[in-house]
């Protein structure tokens, strides 16, 4: 079956929009109406007039789209597309943890469950975290969940002392300083670009640190010709597309292993997207109370990102 043609037909018939993250397979990014980082995808979800949103990303991204569009149908090609960061912070455990910090506000990375969002004051993404934290009063006490690497990076860049929840992304946390040092030795003129979900020892080597969209913007504007890319490998598709004259080196975190791939993002296939559009399932369902409570910190983020 020609899944691309069938998806095209269904998308028109049903007035559906397909949103995809840069970490999905190239063919998924190619059929999407919009590909972006977590911030741009949430902004796109907030603005769409489609009747159906099909989210080729992971569960928390589809949840965010649903929270912003409670009356629309949100489809996710595979309900098992979770996120190790979101899984590292259970809502009930966070609630208990927060009892120790009654005078702190809660800042949560968008890579968290809807339940965690209901406990948060403001959501951030890697694309707007520094801007949002810098806009908060200097004396404001903050708990940051769930990514300790991103939290530490924000603390370093802003001089804050946020209390950090102990969560990590299994893809980004697997990169090591030794691997980056070896890659630099092999490609001495290459610039190192890294995602802030990486450990501090890895970010210490980075010439540029930013979200997926920020990395793409940086490379497009750079006059360097070679880059060592320290994030999930799916970003290579857009990097190569936008910069055919530049060369990209990746780090596989173990031999014969695609460890720098997010197995959750890779659950999105053309066949599953076709089936989800055809059958209008799996559908992302959330109860009204959760939607109401989780929307507030997301709307705050969207306002503070302008
Ligand atoms: P960004 O695309 O917002 O940088 O996020 C990376 C990520 O890990 C998404 O899950
Ligand atoms: Fe979650 Fe990491 Fe996969 Fe992003 S790359 S979806 S943070 S597990």
């Amino acid at each position: 079956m020609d899944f691309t043609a069938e998806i095209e037909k269904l998308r028109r018939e049903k007035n559906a929009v397909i949103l995809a993250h840069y970490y999905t397979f190239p063919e998924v990014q190619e059929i999407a109406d919009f590909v972006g980082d977590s911030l741009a995808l949430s902004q796109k979800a907030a603005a769409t007039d489609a009747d159906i949103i099909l989210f080729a990303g992971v569960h928390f991204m589809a949840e965010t789209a649903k929270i912003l569009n409670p009356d629309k149908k949100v489809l996710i090609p595979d309900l098992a597309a979770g996120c190790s960061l979101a899984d590292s912070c259970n809502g009930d455990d966070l609630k208990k943890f927060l009892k120790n910090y009654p005078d702190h506000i809660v800042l949560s990375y968008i890579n968290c469950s809807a339940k965690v969002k209901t406990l948060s004051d403001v959501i951030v993404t890697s694309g707007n975290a520094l801007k949002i934290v810098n806009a908060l009063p200097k004396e404001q006490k903050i708990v940051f969940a769930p990514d300790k690497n991103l939290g530490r990076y924000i603390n370093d860049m802003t001089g804050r002392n946020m209390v950090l929840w102990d969560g990590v992304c299994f893809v980004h946390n697997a990169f090591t300083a030794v691997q980056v040092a070896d890659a630099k030795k092999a490609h001495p003129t290459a610039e190192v670009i890294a995602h802030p979900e990486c450990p501090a020892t890895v970010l210490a080597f980075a010439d540029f640190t930013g979200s997926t969209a920020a990395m793409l913007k940086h490379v497009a504007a750079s006059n360097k010709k070679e880059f060592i890319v320290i994030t999930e490998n799916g970003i290579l598709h857009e990097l190569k597309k936008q910069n055919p004259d530049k060369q990209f080196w990746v780090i596989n975190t173990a031999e014969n292993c695609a460890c720098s791939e997010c197995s959750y993002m890779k659950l999105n296939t053309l066949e599953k997207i076709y089936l989800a559009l055809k059958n209008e399932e799996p559908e992302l369902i959330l109860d009204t109370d959760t939607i109401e409570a989780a929307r507030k910190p997301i709307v705050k983020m969207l306002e503070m990102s302008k």
Side-chain angles (χ1 to χ4, degrees):
M1 183 184 277
D2 181 350
F3 290 124
T4 305
E6 292 301 316
I7 289 168
E8 193 52 49
K9 213 159 74 191
L10 286 165
R11 171 184 13 219
R12 281 168 203 268
E13 269 169 30
K14 302 194 177 201
N15 186 28
V17 65
I18 301 177
L19 305 181
H21 190 269
Y22 291 123
Y23 294 164
T24 54
F25 286 121
E27 63 272 23
V28 171
Q29 296 185 42
E30 284 301 313
I31 54 103
D33 294 288
F34 181 77
V35 188
D37 69 353
S38 309
L39 176 61
L41 286 167
S42 63
Q43 288 166 331
K44 210 73 186 171
T48 187
D49 55 8
D51 296 315
I52 293 179
I53 301 171
L54 183 135
F55 218 118
V58 290
H59 196 270
F60 76 81
M61 295 179 173
E63 268 187 350
T64 305
K66 182 68 184 176
I67 291 163
L68 290 166
N69 297 279
D71 300 330
K72 293 190 199 298
K73 193 171 260 188
V74 175
L75 303 174
I76 177 162
D78 191 325
L79 271 175
C83 166
S84 59
L85 258 176
D87 290 347
S88 72
C89 188
N90 170 285
D92 292 332
D93 294 342
L94 179 65
K95 208 171 175 175
K96 272 185 227 145
F97 181 79
L98 293 176
K99 290 212 168 90
N100 301 316
Y101 305 99
D103 53 350
H104 289 53
I105 64 162
V106 183
L107 226 65
S108 293
Y109 189 29
I110 197 162
N111 298 37
C112 65
S113 66
K115 170 86 196 233
V116 167
K117 289 186 174 79
T118 66
L119 302 170
S120 307
D121 295 286
V122 192
I123 299 302
V124 301
T125 75
S126 48
N128 60 19
L130 296 179
K131 180 175 178 170
I132 288 179
V133 171
N134 279 327
L136 297 170
K138 280 267 172 291
E139 62 284 0
Q140 179 67 63
K141 293 179 179 169
I142 305 169
V143 169
F144 185 80
D147 187 2
K148 70 173 177 191
N149 287 333
L150 176 62
R152 190 188 307 105
Y153 171 73
I154 299 170
N155 276 344
D156 289 349
M157 299 306 288
T158 62
R160 303 276 174 147
N161 188 23
M162 300 188 300
V163 175
L164 308 181
W165 180 266
D166 189 11
V168 292
C169 158
F170 74 140
V171 179
H172 291 90
N173 200 52
F175 294 110
T176 68
V178 172
Q179 292 160 354
V180 187
D182 287 349
K184 270 184 79 109
K185 241 182 259 159
H187 311 290
T189 60
E191 200 173 51
V192 178
I193 58 170
H195 196 279
E197 288 173 19
C198 296
T201 48
V202 167
L203 294 184
F205 285 93
D207 300 297
F208 178 80
T209 301
S211 76
T212 50
M215 281 192 224
L216 281 155
K217 199 171 160 197
H218 175 80
V219 170
S222 170
N223 49 23
K224 289 268 183 176
K225 289 285 172 218
E226 284 183 65
F227 299 84
I228 295 165
V229 182
I230 311 180
T231 188
E232 210 273 358
N233 284 350
I235 196 175
L236 290 174
H237 177 61
E238 189 63 27
L239 276 171
K240 288 178 183 168
K241 202 167 137 182
Q242 287 186 16
N243 309 279
D245 57 325
K246 295 179 182 170
Q247 201 160 12
F248 302 99
W249 306 105
V250 292
I251 293 172
N252 276 324
T253 42
E255 220 172 307
N256 302 323
C257 155
C259 298
S260 42
E261 284 195 347
C262 174
S263 46
Y264 299 117
M265 287 283 185
K266 271 31 181 190
L267 288 174
N268 293 286
T269 61
L270 287 186
E271 182 175 12
K272 286 184 205 165
I273 292 171
Y274 157 71
L275 289 171
L277 278 177
K278 180 169 168 263
N279 302 325
E280 298 191 18
E281 61 176 26
E283 185 181 353
L284 203 297
I285 307 281
L286 276 177
D287 67 81
T288 318
D289 290 350
T290 303
I291 288 178
E292 280 304 307
R295 187 165 41 218
K296 286 179 202 146
I298 300 174
V299 169
K300 186 116 193 221
M301 169 190 85
L302 293 173
E303 279 164 4
M304 291 183 82
S305 305
K306 281 178 191 159

